[in-house]
Amino acid sequence: MRTYDSGSAAGLFCADGWFKARASSDNGTGCVEVSFGAPGVVGLRDSKQPDGGVFMFDPAEWRTFLARLRDC
């Protein structure tokens, strides 16, 4: 997993390509957004700070990340 600032990640993801995770609530807490906009790269960010940093995963890392979340 790599973390990029919004300036570096901006060219990898479409601004309208982010979607809120199903587990996120609408009350302003625990909101994450995911984007599959760049080929071979999955982005994860805090929806409350869309101009902040972006965690980036390759597909194998993303599958591992999701599997670990399911184990929690």
Side-chain angles (χ1 to χ4, degrees):
M1 176 184 66
R2 297 161 302 283
T3 305
Y4 290 88
D5 63 71
S6 58
S8 298
L12 300 173
F13 302 100
C14 296
D16 61 352
W18 294 92
F19 64 93
K20 193 177 286 192
R22 289 183 297 223
S24 291
S25 62
D26 288 329
N27 65 3
T29 61
C31 300
V32 295
E33 293 180 319
V34 177
S35 177
F36 298 97
V41 179
V42 180
L44 180 72
R45 70 180 184 184
D46 183 342
S47 64
K48 295 178 302 303
Q49 298 180 342
D51 294 326
V54 175
F55 292 102
M56 296 175 51
F57 303 82
D58 67 33
E61 291 170 327
W62 181 246
R63 287 189 297 274
T64 300
F65 176 73
L66 292 178
R68 299 288 179 163
L69 288 177
R70 289 184 197 108
D71 292 342
C72 292

